[in-house]
Amino acid sequence: MCERINGGKTTVYTRPLARLIEQFQRLPGIGPKTAQRLALHIIKRPEEEVQALARALLEAKKQVGLCQVCFHLSAEPVCEICRNPQRDRETICVVSDSRDVIALEKTREYRGLYHVLGGVISPMDGIGPEQLTVQPLVRRVSQQQVKEVIIAVNPSVEGETTTLYLGQLLKPFTRVTRIAFGLPVGGDLEYADEVTLARALEGRRELD
Amino acid sequence: MCERINGGKTTVYTRPLARLIEQFQRLPGIGPKTAQRLALHIIKRPEEEVQALARALLEAKKQVGLCQVCFHLSAEPVCEICRNPQRDRETICVVSDSRDVIALEKTREYRGLYHVLGGVISPMDGIGPEQLTVQPLVRRVSQQQVKEVIIAVNPSVEGETTTLYLGQLLKPFTRVTRIAFGLPVGGDLEYADEVTLARALEGRRELD
């Protein structure tokens, strides 16, 4: 980071600036040029603005945990979706990640609850059902009044494995469906547009 | 930010997360998708890492000011370049912004001092010599032993105006040169590659 010039003692960035650039570079998708640009921007902003960003970082990290029921990100022990009396409590949509909950919520098509697995089954990476929130899902489905479980994981090999596995596991208790392949195979649920996602929800079919 | 679902009370993001996403979106070049990605990344990192980023932000903002001599970013009253006894004190390179100092330092070709104007003369934007550090530059050049002033501002209309103006002002005291047009006209000094910048320095010519 502190590149040295001609063997002299001068560094390109003054220390605190170099440290900030280094910190920015640790963020995903931020390269050296962007990190420098962000750091120089920060230095030019009023102190209150920089404090607001620092505070938001610390508070988000400190306050946001996982919902005890569905494992979605939440600042409370039970998330806003699980607590909302207007949601349909007899439908659970199973996703691999909190980002997928956010993407589905943006469609404004879905009124049920969620269950965040925390990943997909991937034996190559050592991820089996024990590493995911499969057991709490089975408990929810077997102990509560659940009419339908909609499986909405990415259409990858691991996603297919996960879908089939969960289908076998949950069919004794309830109806199990999966979202339709409205999204391009090999694509990422997080990046699908809202219309495509809404259609995928509509066209869901029984697991056979 | 907190989009509402079907008139219900559920928001897409839990509060502290929404605030962090909002803060990230204020940074230059960060859109809603990137802000979301960064915020979700932050929540998954260990607390120490998030604290390190927050600290780097606050410290950079608090500690980095401008060098009293050359107006480059500095954590000390006088910057490392101005304090370095190995630098050639008889040559001053005039740039519009601290980013340009950083870009020139990376070439490892220049051994003299700098002077950061803080912009270029632009009557349309109400920026004249009084809004820039022109007076301190004239003081430096007239009171100290300066053999050469190299003007290195972007080859834009405003940059040309600034170069010609400074040339008239400083020629009574010293030799005034400008960097060669090794960089593409209309381009931005900050983004030129190091070889091009080094060549531009080498091929500098007397102002006529």
Side-chain angles (χ1 to χ4, degrees):
Chain A
M1 206 56 284
C2 294
E3 297 178 56
R4 300 196 167 275
I5 305 299
N6 288 357
K9 278 180 183 152
T10 311
T11 51
V12 175
Y13 303 109
T14 183
R15 268 286 177 71
L17 188 59
R19 269 196 298 259
L20 180 56
I21 292 172
E22 203 191 303
Q23 286 294 329
F24 272 130
Q25 278 200 69
R26 290 167 179 241
L27 298 176
I30 308 280
K33 282 262 166 177
T34 307
Q36 181 191 306
R37 171 164 290 271
L38 292 174
L40 291 174
H41 171 87
I42 288 295
I43 283 169
K44 288 188 182 159
R45 304 311 301 163
E47 185 146 0
E48 308 83 71
E49 264 189 57
V50 182
Q51 281 169 348
L53 172 56
R55 212 179 312 120
L57 279 164
L58 295 170
E59 284 178 2
K61 178 60 200 169
K62 199 168 273 176
Q63 293 173 12
V64 181
L66 299 181
C67 169
Q68 290 170 357
V69 178
C70 75
F71 301 93
H72 180 40
L73 295 173
S74 174
E76 310 284 332
V78 176
C79 77
E80 285 188 70
I81 297 171
C82 287
R83 277 181 295 145
N84 185 347
Q86 294 179 42
R87 309 282 306 211
D88 165 16
R89 316 198 78 77
E90 300 187 325
T91 311
I92 295 177
C93 181
V94 177
V95 295
S96 65
D97 197 283
S98 266
R99 292 166 218 222
D100 302 328
V101 174
I102 293 167
L104 284 161
E105 282 298 283
K106 284 182 179 167
T107 69
R108 296 160 195 250
E109 287 283 325
Y110 181 67
R111 302 284 307 125
L113 304 180
Y114 291 94
H115 192 89
V116 180
L117 289 173
V120 282
I121 296 172
S122 175
M124 296 278 285
D125 304 311
I127 299 174
E130 311 76 35
Q131 277 72 47
L132 308 174
T133 62
V134 171
Q135 215 166 35
L137 172 63
V138 176
R139 218 177 300 128
R140 277 178 86 182
V141 173
S142 60
Q143 292 175 0
Q144 284 158 33
Q145 196 67 321
V146 175
K147 281 201 181 139
E148 182 179 357
V149 170
I150 305 169
I151 301 177
V153 297
N154 289 326
S156 61
V157 176
E158 293 82 9
E160 287 302 293
T161 311
T162 309
T163 302
L164 295 174
Y165 176 83
L166 291 178
Q168 293 304 318
L169 212 59
L170 301 174
K171 265 195 288 188
F173 305 107
T174 186
R175 186 181 171 218
V176 182
T177 57
R178 62 185 303 173
I179 56 167
F181 283 107
L183 35 162
V185 174
D188 197 332
L189 203 144
E190 188 191 348
Y191 292 112
D193 65 274
E194 288 147 20
V195 181
T196 309
L197 268 179
R199 269 201 211 126
L201 269 173
E202 265 170 30
R204 64 185 186 269
R205 58 183 182 70
E206 204 82 29
L207 259 194
D208 42 25
Chain B
M1 204 60 278
C2 292
E3 298 178 57
R4 300 197 166 273
I5 303 303
N6 288 356
K9 277 182 184 150
T10 309
T11 52
V12 175
Y13 303 109
T14 182
R15 269 283 176 74
L17 189 57
R19 269 196 299 259
L20 180 56
I21 291 171
E22 204 191 302
Q23 285 294 330
F24 272 131
Q25 278 199 72
R26 290 167 179 240
L27 298 177
I30 307 281
K33 280 263 168 176
T34 308
Q36 181 192 306
R37 174 166 286 272
L38 291 175
L40 292 174
H41 171 86
I42 288 295
I43 283 168
K44 287 187 181 162
R45 303 312 300 164
E47 186 146 1
E48 308 84 70
E49 264 188 58
V50 182
Q51 281 169 347
L53 172 55
R55 213 180 311 121
L57 279 163
L58 295 171
E59 284 179 2
K61 178 60 200 166
K62 200 168 272 176
Q63 294 173 11
V64 179
L66 299 182
C67 170
Q68 290 170 357
V69 178
C70 75
F71 301 92
H72 180 43
L73 295 173
S74 174
E76 311 284 334
V78 176
C79 78
E80 285 189 70
I81 297 172
C82 287
R83 278 183 291 142
N84 186 346
Q86 294 179 42
R87 309 285 303 212
D88 165 15
R89 316 196 80 76
E90 300 187 324
T91 310
I92 295 177
C93 181
V94 178
V95 295
S96 65
D97 197 284
S98 266
R99 291 166 219 223
D100 303 326
V101 174
I102 293 165
L104 284 162
E105 283 297 284
K106 285 181 178 168
T107 70
R108 296 161 195 249
E109 287 282 324
Y110 181 66
R111 301 286 304 125
L113 304 180
Y114 291 95
H115 192 88
V116 180
L117 289 173
V120 283
I121 296 172
S122 174
M124 298 276 284
D125 304 312
I127 300 176
E130 311 74 38
Q131 277 71 49
L132 308 174
T133 62
V134 171
Q135 215 165 38
L137 172 63
V138 175
R139 217 178 300 127
R140 277 179 87 182
V141 173
S142 60
Q143 291 175 2
Q144 284 160 34
Q145 199 58 333
V146 176
K147 283 204 181 135
E148 183 178 355
V149 170
I150 305 170
I151 301 177
V153 298
N154 288 327
S156 61
V157 176
E158 294 81 10
E160 287 302 292
T161 310
T162 308
T163 301
L164 295 174
Y165 175 83
L166 291 178
Q168 294 301 318
L169 211 60
L170 300 175
K171 264 197 287 190
F173 306 107
T174 184
R175 184 180 172 219
V176 182
T177 58
R178 63 186 300 174
I179 56 166
F181 281 109
L183 34 162
V185 174
D188 198 332
L189 203 144
E190 189 191 348
Y191 293 111
D193 64 275
E194 289 148 17
V195 180
T196 307
L197 268 180
R199 267 197 215 131
L201 268 175
E202 264 171 31
R204 66 184 186 270
R205 60 183 179 71
E206 204 82 29
L207 261 194
D208 43 26

